[in-house]
Coordinates of all heavy atoms in Angstrom, one line a residue:
M49 N 109.4 121.3 117.9 CA 109.1 121.2 116.5 C 107.6 120.8 116.3 O 107.1 119.8 116.8 CB 109.9 120.0 115.9 CG 109.8 119.9 114.4 SD 111.1 118.8 113.8 CE 110.3 118.2 112.3
S50 N 106.9 121.7 115.6 CA 105.5 121.5 115.4 C 105.1 121.0 114.0 O 105.8 121.3 113.1 CB 104.7 122.8 115.7 OG 105.1 123.8 114.8
T51 N 104.1 120.3 113.9 CA 103.7 119.8 112.6 C 102.7 120.8 112.0 O 101.9 121.4 112.7 CB 102.9 118.4 112.8 OG1 101.9 118.6 113.8 CG2 103.9 117.4 113.1
T52 N 102.8 120.9 110.7 CA 102.0 121.9 110.0 C 100.6 121.4 109.8 O 99.6 122.1 109.8 CB 102.6 122.2 108.6 OG1 102.8 121.0 107.9 CG2 103.9 123.0 108.7
L53 N 100.5 120.1 109.7 CA 99.2 119.5 109.5 C 98.9 118.6 110.7 O 99.5 117.5 110.8 CB 99.2 118.6 108.2 CG 97.9 118.1 107.7 CD1 97.0 119.3 107.2 CD2 98.1 117.2 106.5
T54 N 97.9 119.0 111.5 CA 97.6 118.2 112.7 C 96.3 117.5 112.5 O 95.2 118.2 112.6 CB 97.6 119.1 113.9 OG1 96.7 120.3 113.6 CG2 99.0 119.6 114.3
A55 N 96.3 116.3 112.3 CA 95.1 115.5 112.2 C 94.8 115.0 113.6 O 95.7 114.4 114.3 CB 95.2 114.3 111.3
P56 N 93.6 115.2 114.1 CA 93.2 114.7 115.4 C 93.3 113.2 115.5 O 93.0 112.5 114.5 CB 91.8 115.3 115.7 CG 91.3 115.5 114.3 CD 92.5 115.8 113.4
A57 N 93.5 112.7 116.7 CA 93.5 111.2 116.8 C 92.0 110.7 116.6 O 91.1 111.5 116.7 CB 93.9 110.9 118.2
L58 N 92.0 109.5 116.2 CA 90.7 109.0 115.8 C 89.8 108.7 117.0 O 90.3 108.2 118.0 CB 90.9 107.7 115.0 CG 91.5 107.9 113.6 CD1 92.1 106.6 113.1 CD2 90.4 108.4 112.7
A59 N 88.6 109.0 116.9 CA 87.6 108.8 118.0 C 86.7 107.7 117.7 O 86.6 107.2 116.6 CB 86.8 110.1 118.3
A60 N 86.0 107.2 118.8 CA 85.1 106.1 118.6 C 83.9 106.5 117.7 O 83.3 105.6 117.1 CB 84.5 105.7 119.9
T61 N 83.7 107.8 117.5 CA 82.6 108.3 116.6 C 83.0 108.3 115.2 O 82.2 108.5 114.3 CB 82.2 109.6 117.1 OG1 83.3 110.5 117.2 CG2 81.4 109.6 118.4
D62 N 84.3 108.2 114.9 CA 84.8 108.2 113.5 C 84.4 106.8 112.9 O 84.7 105.8 113.4 CB 86.3 108.4 113.4 CG 86.6 109.9 113.7 OD1 85.9 110.7 113.2 OD2 87.6 110.1 114.4
R63 N 83.9 106.9 111.7 CA 83.4 105.7 111.0 C 84.0 105.5 109.7 O 84.3 106.5 108.9 CB 81.8 105.8 110.8 CG 81.1 105.9 112.1 CD 81.0 104.5 112.8 NE 80.9 104.7 114.2 CZ 80.9 103.6 115.1 NH1 81.0 102.4 114.6 NH2 80.8 103.8 116.4
C64 N 84.2 104.3 109.3 CA 84.8 103.9 108.0 C 83.8 104.4 106.9 O 82.6 104.3 107.0 CB 84.9 102.4 107.9 SG 85.4 101.8 106.3
D65 N 84.4 105.1 105.9 CA 83.6 105.6 104.8 C 83.0 104.5 104.0 O 82.0 104.7 103.2 CB 84.5 106.4 103.8 CG 85.0 107.7 104.5 OD1 84.2 108.2 105.3 OD2 86.1 108.2 104.1
R66 N 83.5 103.3 104.0 CA 83.0 102.2 103.2 C 81.9 101.4 103.9 O 81.0 101.0 103.3 CB 84.2 101.3 102.8 CG 85.4 102.0 102.2 CD 85.1 102.3 100.8 NE 86.0 103.3 100.3 CZ 86.2 103.6 99.0 NH1 85.6 102.9 98.1 NH2 87.1 104.5 98.6
C67 N 82.1 101.1 105.1 CA 81.2 100.1 105.8 C 80.6 100.6 107.1 O 79.8 99.9 107.7 CB 81.9 98.8 106.0 SG 83.2 98.9 107.3
N68 N 81.0 101.8 107.5 CA 80.5 102.4 108.7 C 80.9 101.8 110.0 O 80.4 102.0 111.1 CB 78.9 102.5 108.7 CG 78.4 103.8 109.2 OD1 79.0 104.8 109.1 ND2 77.3 103.7 109.9
A69 N 81.9 100.9 109.9 CA 82.5 100.4 111.2 C 83.4 101.4 111.8 O 83.7 102.4 111.2 CB 83.3 99.1 110.8
Q70 N 83.8 101.2 113.0 CA 84.7 102.2 113.7 C 86.0 102.3 112.9 O 86.6 101.3 112.5 CB 85.0 101.7 115.1 CG 85.8 102.8 115.8 CD 86.0 102.5 117.3 OE1 85.3 101.7 117.9 NE2 87.0 103.1 117.9
A71 N 86.4 103.6 112.6 CA 87.5 103.8 111.8 C 88.8 103.8 112.7 O 88.8 104.3 113.8 CB 87.4 105.2 111.1
Y72 N 89.9 103.2 112.1 CA 91.1 103.2 112.8 C 92.2 103.8 112.0 O 93.4 103.9 112.5 CB 91.5 101.7 113.1 CG 90.7 101.2 114.3 CD1 89.6 100.4 114.1 CD2 91.1 101.4 115.6 CE1 88.8 99.9 115.1 CE2 90.4 100.9 116.7 CZ 89.2 100.2 116.4 OH 88.5 99.7 117.4
V73 N 91.9 104.3 110.8 CA 92.9 104.9 109.9 C 92.3 106.1 109.3 O 91.2 106.1 108.8 CB 93.4 103.9 108.8 CG1 94.4 104.6 107.9 CG2 94.0 102.7 109.4
R74 N 93.0 107.3 109.4 CA 92.6 108.5 108.7 C 93.7 108.8 107.7 O 94.9 108.8 107.9 CB 92.5 109.6 109.7 CG 92.1 111.0 109.0 CD 92.3 112.1 109.9 NE 91.6 112.0 111.2 CZ 90.3 112.4 111.3 NH1 89.6 112.9 110.3 NH2 89.7 112.3 112.4
V75 N 93.2 109.0 106.4 CA 94.1 109.4 105.3 C 93.8 110.8 104.9 O 92.7 111.1 104.5 CB 93.9 108.4 104.2 CG1 94.9 108.7 103.0 CG2 94.2 106.9 104.6
V76 N 94.8 111.6 104.9 CA 94.6 113.0 104.4 C 95.2 113.1 103.0 O 96.3 112.8 102.8 CB 95.3 114.0 105.4 CG1 95.1 115.4 104.9 CG2 94.9 113.9 106.8
L77 N 94.3 113.6 102.1 CA 94.7 113.6 100.7 C 95.1 115.1 100.3 O 94.6 116.0 101.0 CB 93.5 113.1 99.8 CG 93.2 111.7 100.0 CD1 91.9 111.4 99.3 CD2 94.3 110.8 99.6
P78 N 95.8 115.2 99.2 CA 96.1 116.6 98.7 C 94.8 117.3 98.5 O 93.9 116.8 97.8 CB 96.9 116.3 97.4 CG 97.5 115.0 97.6 CD 96.5 114.2 98.5
G79 N 94.7 118.6 98.9 CA 93.5 119.3 98.8 C 92.8 119.4 100.1 O 91.8 120.2 100.2
G80 N 93.2 118.6 101.1 CA 92.6 118.7 102.4 C 91.5 117.8 102.8 O 91.1 117.7 103.9
S81 N 91.0 117.0 101.8 CA 90.0 116.0 102.1 C 90.6 114.8 102.8 O 91.8 114.5 102.6 CB 89.3 115.6 100.9 OG 90.2 114.9 100.0
D82 N 89.8 114.2 103.6 CA 90.3 113.0 104.3 C 89.4 111.9 104.3 O 88.2 112.0 104.1 CB 90.7 113.4 105.8 CG 89.5 113.8 106.6 OD1 88.5 114.2 106.0 OD2 89.6 113.7 107.8
L83 N 89.9 110.7 104.4 CA 89.2 109.5 104.3 C 89.4 108.7 105.6 O 90.4 108.7 106.2 CB 89.6 108.6 103.1 CG 89.5 109.2 101.7 CD1 90.2 108.3 100.7 CD2 88.0 109.4 101.3
L84 N 88.3 108.0 106.0 CA 88.4 107.1 107.2 C 88.2 105.7 106.8 O 87.3 105.4 106.0 CB 87.3 107.6 108.2 CG 87.5 109.0 108.7 CD1 86.2 109.3 109.5 CD2 88.7 109.1 109.6
F85 N 89.0 104.8 107.4 CA 88.9 103.4 107.1 C 88.9 102.6 108.4 O 89.6 102.9 109.3 CB 90.0 102.9 106.2 CG 90.0 103.5 104.8 CD1 90.8 104.6 104.5 CD2 89.2 103.0 103.9 CE1 90.8 105.1 103.2 CE2 89.1 103.5 102.6 CZ 90.0 104.5 102.2
C86 N 88.2 101.5 108.4 CA 88.3 100.5 109.4 C 89.5 99.7 109.0 O 90.1 99.8 107.9 CB 87.1 99.6 109.5 SG 86.8 98.6 108.0
G87 N 90.0 98.8 109.9 CA 91.2 98.0 109.6 C 91.0 97.1 108.4 O 91.9 96.9 107.6
H88 N 89.8 96.6 108.2 CA 89.5 95.8 107.1 C 89.7 96.5 105.8 O 90.4 96.0 104.9 CB 88.1 95.2 107.2 CG 87.6 94.4 106.0 ND1 88.1 93.2 105.8 CD2 86.8 94.7 105.0 CE1 87.5 92.7 104.7 NE2 86.7 93.7 104.2
H89 N 89.1 97.7 105.6 CA 89.1 98.4 104.4 C 90.5 99.0 104.2 O 90.9 99.3 103.1 CB 88.0 99.4 104.3 CG 86.7 98.7 103.9 ND1 85.7 98.5 104.8 CD2 86.3 98.2 102.7 CE1 84.7 97.9 104.2 NE2 85.0 97.6 102.9
W90 N 91.1 99.4 105.3 CA 92.5 100.0 105.1 C 93.4 99.0 104.5 O 94.2 99.3 103.6 CB 93.0 100.5 106.5 CG 94.4 100.9 106.4 CD1 95.5 100.5 107.1 CD2 94.9 102.0 105.6 NE1 96.6 101.2 106.8 CE2 96.3 102.1 105.9 CE3 94.4 102.9 104.6 CZ2 97.1 103.0 105.2 CZ3 95.2 103.8 104.0 CH2 96.5 103.9 104.3
S91 N 93.3 97.7 105.0 CA 94.2 96.7 104.4 C 94.0 96.5 102.9 O 94.9 96.2 102.2 CB 94.0 95.4 105.2 OG 92.7 94.9 104.9
R92 N 92.7 96.8 102.5 CA 92.4 96.7 101.1 C 92.9 97.8 100.2 O 93.3 97.7 99.1 CB 90.9 96.6 100.9 CG 90.3 95.3 101.0 CD 89.0 95.3 100.3 NE 88.1 94.2 100.7 CZ 86.9 94.0 100.3 NH1 86.4 94.8 99.5 NH2 86.2 93.0 100.7
H93 N 92.9 99.0 100.8 CA 93.2 100.2 100.0 C 94.6 100.8 100.4 O 95.0 101.8 99.7 CB 92.1 101.3 100.3 CG 90.8 100.8 99.8 ND1 90.4 100.7 98.5 CD2 89.7 100.4 100.5 CE1 89.2 100.3 98.4 NE2 88.7 100.1 99.6
E94 N 95.2 100.3 101.4 CA 96.5 100.9 101.8 C 97.5 101.0 100.7 O 98.1 102.1 100.5 CB 97.1 100.0 102.9 CG 98.5 100.6 103.4 CD 99.0 99.8 104.5 OE1 98.5 98.8 104.9 OE2 100.1 100.2 105.0
E95 N 97.6 100.0 99.9 CA 98.6 100.0 98.8 C 98.4 101.1 97.8 O 99.4 101.7 97.3 CB 98.6 98.6 98.1 CG 99.9 98.3 97.4 CD 99.9 96.9 96.8 OE1 99.4 96.0 97.5 OE2 100.4 96.7 95.7
A96 N 97.2 101.4 97.5 CA 96.8 102.4 96.5 C 96.9 103.8 97.1 O 97.3 104.8 96.4 CB 95.4 102.1 96.0
L97 N 96.6 103.9 98.4 CA 96.4 105.2 99.0 C 97.7 105.8 99.6 O 97.9 107.0 99.6 CB 95.3 105.2 100.0 CG 93.9 105.2 99.5 CD1 92.9 105.0 100.6 CD2 93.6 106.5 98.7
R98 N 98.5 104.9 100.1 CA 99.7 105.4 100.8 C 100.6 106.3 99.9 O 101.0 107.4 100.4 CB 100.6 104.3 101.3 CG 100.4 104.1 102.8 CD 101.5 103.3 103.5 NE 101.1 102.7 104.7 CZ 101.1 103.4 105.9 NH1 101.5 104.6 105.9 NH2 100.7 102.8 107.0
P99 N 100.8 106.0 98.7 CA 101.7 106.9 97.8 C 101.1 108.2 97.6 O 101.8 109.2 97.4 CB 101.8 106.1 96.5 CG 101.5 104.7 96.8 CD 100.5 104.8 97.9
K100 N 99.7 108.4 97.6 CA 99.0 109.6 97.4 C 98.8 110.5 98.6 O 98.7 111.7 98.5 CB 97.6 109.3 96.8 CG 97.7 108.5 95.5 CD 96.2 108.2 95.1 CE 96.2 107.2 94.0 NZ 94.8 106.8 93.7
A101 N 98.8 109.8 99.8 CA 98.4 110.5 101.0 C 99.4 111.5 101.5 O 100.6 111.2 101.4 CB 98.1 109.5 102.1
L102 N 99.0 112.6 101.9 CA 99.8 113.6 102.6 C 100.2 113.1 104.0 O 101.3 113.3 104.5 CB 99.1 114.9 102.7 CG 98.9 115.7 101.4 CD1 98.1 117.0 101.8 CD2 100.2 116.0 100.7
E103 N 99.2 112.5 104.6 CA 99.4 112.0 106.0 C 98.5 110.8 106.2 O 97.4 110.7 105.7 CB 99.0 113.1 107.0 CG 99.3 112.7 108.4 CD 99.1 113.9 109.4 OE1 99.1 115.0 108.9 OE2 99.0 113.6 110.6
V104 N 99.1 109.8 106.9 CA 98.3 108.7 107.3 C 98.4 108.5 108.8 O 99.4 108.4 109.4 CB 98.8 107.4 106.6 CG1 98.1 106.2 107.2 CG2 98.7 107.5 105.1
V105 N 97.2 108.5 109.5 CA 97.1 108.2 110.9 C 96.6 106.8 111.1 O 95.5 106.5 110.8 CB 96.1 109.2 111.6 CG1 96.1 108.9 113.1 CG2 96.6 110.7 111.4
D106 N 97.6 106.0 111.4 CA 97.3 104.5 111.5 C 97.2 104.1 113.0 O 98.2 104.1 113.7 CB 98.4 103.8 110.8 CG 98.1 102.3 110.7 OD1 97.2 101.8 111.4 OD2 98.7 101.6 109.8
E107 N 96.0 103.8 113.4 CA 95.8 103.3 114.8 C 95.3 101.9 114.8 O 94.6 101.5 115.7 CB 94.8 104.3 115.5 CG 95.4 105.7 115.6 CD 94.6 106.6 116.6 OE1 93.4 106.2 116.9 OE2 95.1 107.6 117.0
T108 N 95.6 101.2 113.8 CA 95.2 99.8 113.7 C 95.8 98.9 114.8 O 95.3 97.8 115.1 CB 95.5 99.2 112.3 OG1 96.9 99.4 112.0 CG2 94.6 99.8 111.2
H109 N 96.8 99.4 115.4 CA 97.4 98.6 116.5 C 96.4 98.5 117.7 O 96.5 97.5 118.5 CB 98.7 99.3 117.0 CG 98.5 100.7 117.5 ND1 98.5 101.8 116.6 CD2 98.2 101.2 118.7 CE1 98.3 102.9 117.3 NE2 98.1 102.6 118.6
R110 N 95.5 99.4 117.7 CA 94.5 99.4 118.8 C 93.5 98.2 118.6 O 92.9 97.7 119.5 CB 93.6 100.6 118.8 CG 94.4 101.8 119.5 CD 93.8 103.1 119.2 NE 92.4 103.1 119.4 CZ 91.6 104.1 118.9 NH1 92.1 105.1 118.2 NH2 90.3 104.1 119.0
L111 N 93.4 97.7 117.3 CA 92.6 96.6 117.0 C 93.2 95.3 117.7 O 92.4 94.4 118.1 CB 92.6 96.3 115.5 CG 91.7 97.3 114.7 CD1 92.0 97.1 113.2 CD2 90.2 97.0 115.0
V112 N 94.5 95.3 117.8 CA 95.1 94.1 118.4 C 94.9 94.1 119.9 O 94.7 93.0 120.6 CB 96.6 94.1 118.1 CG1 97.2 92.8 118.7 CG2 96.8 94.2 116.6
E113 N 94.9 95.3 120.5 CA 94.9 95.4 122.0 C 93.5 95.1 122.5 O 93.3 94.5 123.6 CB 95.3 96.8 122.4 CG 96.8 97.1 122.2 CD 97.1 98.6 122.3 OE1 96.2 99.3 122.8 OE2 98.2 99.0 122.0
S114 N 92.5 95.5 121.8 CA 91.1 95.4 122.3 C 90.5 94.1 121.7 O 90.8 93.7 120.6 CB 90.2 96.6 121.9 OG 90.3 96.8 120.5
P115 N 89.6 93.4 122.5 CA 89.0 92.2 122.0 C 88.1 92.5 120.8 O 87.5 93.5 120.7 CB 88.1 91.8 123.2 CG 88.0 93.0 124.0 CD 89.2 93.8 123.8
A116 N 88.1 91.5 119.9 CA 87.3 91.7 118.7 C 85.8 91.8 119.0 O 85.3 91.0 119.8 CB 87.6 90.5 117.7
V117 N 85.1 92.7 118.3 CA 83.7 92.8 118.5 C 82.9 91.9 117.6 O 82.0 91.3 117.9 CB 83.3 94.3 118.3 CG1 81.8 94.5 118.5 CG2 84.1 95.2 119.3
S118 N 83.4 91.9 116.3 CA 82.7 91.2 115.3 C 83.1 89.7 115.3 O 84.2 89.4 115.6 CB 82.9 91.7 113.9 OG 84.3 91.7 113.6
T119 N 82.2 88.8 115.0 CA 82.5 87.4 114.9 C 83.0 87.1 113.5 O 82.2 87.2 112.6 CB 81.3 86.6 115.3 OG1 80.2 87.0 114.5 CG2 81.0 86.7 116.7
D120 N 84.2 86.8 113.3 CA 84.8 86.6 112.0 C 85.1 85.1 111.8 O 86.2 84.7 111.7 CB 86.1 87.4 111.9 CG 86.5 87.4 110.4 OD1 85.7 87.2 109.5 OD2 87.7 87.6 110.2
A121 N 84.0 84.3 111.9 CA 84.2 82.9 111.8 C 83.8 82.4 110.4 O 83.0 82.9 109.8 CB 83.3 82.2 112.9
Ligands
ZN144 ZN1 85.3 99.4 106.5

């Protein structure tokens, strides 16, 4: 069973559209455009975007596995 819409997995070079941090979520919108979000901005926009999105590639679980880069103190 193949998927009609294949979004590639997120790479380290993919950047959040909002803040240019590494992106962990790709959102594909109707019309074919896609948005990239870091974990921070995805949590902000998830509620609004999920109902509209054709596809959501959520790799935020990788944030938990890898040590935090930014100091969030
Ligand atoms: Zn961001």
Side-chain angles (χ1 to χ4, degrees):
M49 187 168 157
S50 60
T51 51
T52 52
L53 192 66
T54 51
L58 291 159
T61 50
D62 286 320
R63 295 287 149 182
C64 173
D65 290 331
R66 306 283 164 162
C67 71
N68 219 34
Q70 185 174 342
Y72 286 94
V73 180
R74 179 193 301 276
V75 180
V76 181
L77 296 173
S81 60
D82 62 342
L83 299 171
L84 296 171
F85 291 102
C86 65
H88 174 74
H89 281 106
W90 175 238
S91 66
R92 272 202 200 178
H93 298 288
E94 178 176 7
E95 203 174 321
L97 284 173
R98 258 202 201 274
K100 303 176 190 173
L102 291 179
E103 183 172 346
V104 175
V105 179
D106 187 341
E107 295 191 346
T108 50
H109 58 274
R110 282 162 48 196
L111 284 168
V112 183
E113 292 167 9
S114 55
V117 178
S118 62
T119 52
D120 190 25

